[in-house]
């Protein structure tokens, strides 16, 4: 039967390609949402028991992104720590982002019943995130006002015809937290300036050039990895959307099957049943064609995932090579230090030899002078005799 066919097809597709481990962590992302701004920060949440202390939700700095749903005009803040969503906050006009220090800011989300805190690496990143928050908050307010205007225009004809009152929609108010909730967590910034290379490393410019080359290659791979990760998130969201579409197609096929069964029971409408069967067959063919396209798209996404893994392996290899180059540079620096010590010792020995030679020359000059005087005296004695 048709319903059984669609059930088996969807189940097989979900079991082989749409594995839950690939999509279950990104179910909150919509196909219509696109990232519009991203930064990195340490994520905290207020302790739900004390409402005073901050609890870190990430062990290190993670990516925090603004997402925009163009269909619903909704802005959201989303952050992932590995495969776990640690921030999923919808921006409303009543929200307020508060800077509690030079590198820390917070906002309250009444829907999630919590207060989020972000610790940034610099004041510039905090200011940029706050500017984007205010910008998207204003955009959310304008979108809400337009939506209310449309609702008022839509409700006006029915209100005039019915003569009754229409209750205005309720808008949830965001909780911005108390003064205790805005306490800044004690986050230590262990950022030390990187030492610059000295002039003693000039003889090993070639090794430094190789190290810089590998660093540039590693930075390029990191950028490509970030782009592929974003594409993977978007592709996974698309897979989730297609899974929902397949479920809708299954429900539609079941409904059509029931309709065909009802039409077959009516013998007096055989021609109509035949016509409906033809239409249903066409619909099924269209659904099968759509399903085939989705399967091809899923195969393409799997290839992109494989490419991302290969790039990850290349990045790990380059990282290992960079570490080996750094170790060799340290060895060469040790050899240079040893050679400098030997050179200094040799210079000291040469200086001592010069001093001894100079002293010997002075003594020799004195002896020559004495011999000259003795020769002159002997000559005088010979002349006198």
């Amino acid at each position: 039967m048709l319903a059984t066919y669609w059930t088996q097809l969807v189940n097989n597709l979900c079991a082989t390609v749409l594995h839950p481990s690939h999509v279950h962590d990104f179910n909150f992302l919509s196909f219509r949402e696109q990232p519009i701004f991203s930064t990195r920060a340490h994520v905290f949440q207020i302790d739900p028991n004390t409402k005073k202390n901050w609890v870190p939700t990430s062990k290190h700095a993670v990516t925090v992104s603004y997402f925009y749903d163009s269909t619903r005009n909704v802005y959201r803040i989303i952050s992932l720590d590995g495969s776990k969503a640690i921030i999923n906050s919808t921006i409303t006009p009543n929200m307020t982002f508060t800077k509690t220090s030079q590198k820390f800011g917070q906002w309250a989300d009444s829907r999630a019943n919590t207060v989020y805190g972000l610790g940034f690496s610099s004041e510039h990143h905090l200011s940029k995130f706050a500017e984007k928050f205010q910008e998207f908050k204003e955009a959310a307010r304008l979108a809400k006002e337009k939506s209310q205007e449309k609702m008022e225009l839509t409700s006006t004809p029915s209100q005039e015809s019915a003569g009754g009152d229409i209750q205005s929609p309720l808008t949830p108010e965001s909780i911005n937290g108390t003064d205790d909730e805005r306490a800044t967590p004690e986050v230590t910034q262990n950022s030390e300036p990187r030492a610059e290379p000295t002039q003693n490393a000039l003889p090993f410019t070639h090794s430094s050039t190789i190290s810089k080359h590998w660093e540039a290659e590693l930075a390029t791979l990191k950028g490509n990895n970030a782009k592929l990760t974003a594409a993977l998130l978007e592709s996974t969201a698309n897979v989730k959307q297609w899974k929902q579409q397949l479920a809708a197609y299954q429900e539609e096929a079941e409904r059509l099957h029931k309709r065909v069964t009802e039409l077959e029971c009516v013998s007096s409408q055989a021609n109509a049943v035949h016509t409906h069967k033809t239409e249903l067959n066409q619909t099924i063919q269209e659904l099968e064609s759509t399903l085939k396209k989705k399967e091809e798209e899923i195969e393409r996404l799997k290839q992109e995932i494989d490419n991302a893994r290969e790039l990850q392996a290349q990045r790990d290899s380059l990282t290992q090579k960079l570490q080996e180059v750094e170790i060799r540079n340290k060895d060469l620096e040790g050899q240079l230090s040893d050679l400098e010590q030997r050179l200094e010792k040799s210079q000291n020995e040469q200086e001592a030899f010069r001093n001894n030679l100079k002293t010997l020359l002075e003594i020799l000059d004195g002896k020559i002078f004495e011999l000259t005087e003795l020769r002159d005296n002997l000559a005088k004695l010979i002349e006198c005799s």
Side-chain angles (χ1 to χ4, degrees), residues 107-324:
W107 78 96
D109 189 344
S110 61
R111 297 183 179 180
N113 193 24
T114 187
V115 179
Y116 294 104
L118 296 178
F120 295 88
S121 60
S122 65
E123 185 177 1
H124 171 73
H125 290 86
L126 173 60
S127 301
K128 190 67 175 179
F129 187 88
E131 291 175 1
K132 292 295 182 180
F133 190 98
Q134 186 65 28
E135 176 184 345
F136 300 146
K137 170 186 171 183
E138 183 66 19
R141 184 186 65 82
L142 295 175
K144 180 180 178 182
E145 291 178 354
K146 291 181 180 180
S147 177
Q148 289 179 348
E149 291 177 359
K150 291 181 180 179
M151 291 176 63
E152 291 176 357
L153 293 175
T154 305
S155 61
T156 300
S158 59
Q159 184 176 5
E160 292 177 355
S161 60
D165 296 334
I166 299 177
Q167 184 178 0
S168 61
L170 297 176
T171 58
E173 297 181 356
S174 297
I175 302 172
N176 291 326
T178 63
D179 294 337
D180 293 334
E181 293 172 351
R182 293 178 182 177
T184 305
E186 297 180 357
V187 179
T188 59
Q189 300 292 338
N190 297 326
S191 58
E192 299 181 356
R194 184 177 179 180
E196 295 293 336
T198 60
Q199 293 181 354
N200 294 333
L202 291 177
F204 304 96
T205 307
H206 182 65
S207 298
S208 300
T209 304
I210 296 176
S211 178
K212 291 180 180 179
H213 171 72
W214 289 120
E215 288 178 354
E217 291 288 337
L218 182 60
T220 304
L221 287 175
K222 285 183 177 179
N224 294 335
N225 189 29
K227 293 179 181 179
L228 289 174
T229 303
L232 180 59
L233 290 176
E234 182 180 357
S235 301
T236 310
N238 295 343
V239 170
K240 174 62 179 177
Q241 182 72 14
W242 296 334
K243 183 179 178 181
Q244 294 176 353
Q245 291 179 359
L246 289 175
Y249 293 157
Q250 181 183 1
E251 294 176 357
E252 181 68 15
E254 291 177 355
R255 188 186 66 81
L256 294 175
H257 173 68
K258 291 179 181 179
R259 181 60 179 169
V260 169
T261 304
E262 293 175 357
L263 292 175
E264 289 177 348
C265 294
V266 183
S267 60
S268 60
Q269 298 179 355
N271 294 332
V273 170
H274 184 270
T275 303
H276 283 288
K277 277 187 176 181
T278 304
E279 294 177 355
L280 291 176
N281 290 331
Q282 293 178 356
T283 304
I284 291 172
Q285 291 178 357
E286 293 176 357
L287 293 175
E288 289 177 349
S289 176
T290 304
L291 180 61
K292 184 177 180 181
K293 292 180 181 179
K294 298 303 180 182
E295 290 177 349
E296 294 175 354
E297 185 68 17
I298 289 171
E299 289 296 331
R300 185 182 65 82
L301 294 177
K302 289 176 66 178
Q303 293 179 357
E304 290 182 358
I305 293 173
D306 294 337
N307 293 335
R309 291 175 179 173
E310 292 179 358
L311 289 176
Q312 180 70 23
Q314 292 179 3
R315 189 191 70 173
D316 295 339
S317 176
L318 289 177
T319 303
Q320 183 178 0
K321 291 181 180 179
L322 179 61
Q323 292 176 353
E324 293 176 357

Side-chain angles (χ1 to χ4, degrees), residues 321-348:
K321 291 181 180 179
L322 179 61
Q323 292 176 353
E324 293 176 357
V325 171
E326 291 177 350
I327 293 172
R328 179 168 178 78
N329 284 339
K330 290 181 181 179
D331 295 339
L332 293 176
E333 289 176 357
Q335 294 178 7
L336 176 62
S337 177
D338 188 19
L339 290 175
E340 289 179 346
Q341 292 177 359
R342 292 182 181 179
L343 179 61
E344 184 177 359
K345 183 178 179 181
S346 176
Q347 289 177 351
N348 293 333

Side-chain angles (χ1 to χ4, degrees), residues 364-381:
L364 184 62
D365 289 340
K367 297 297 182 179
I368 293 173
F369 181 75
E370 291 177 359
L371 291 173
T372 304
E373 288 182 350
L374 179 61
R375 185 181 63 81
D376 294 338
N377 292 332
L378 290 174
K380 290 178 179 180
L381 288 175

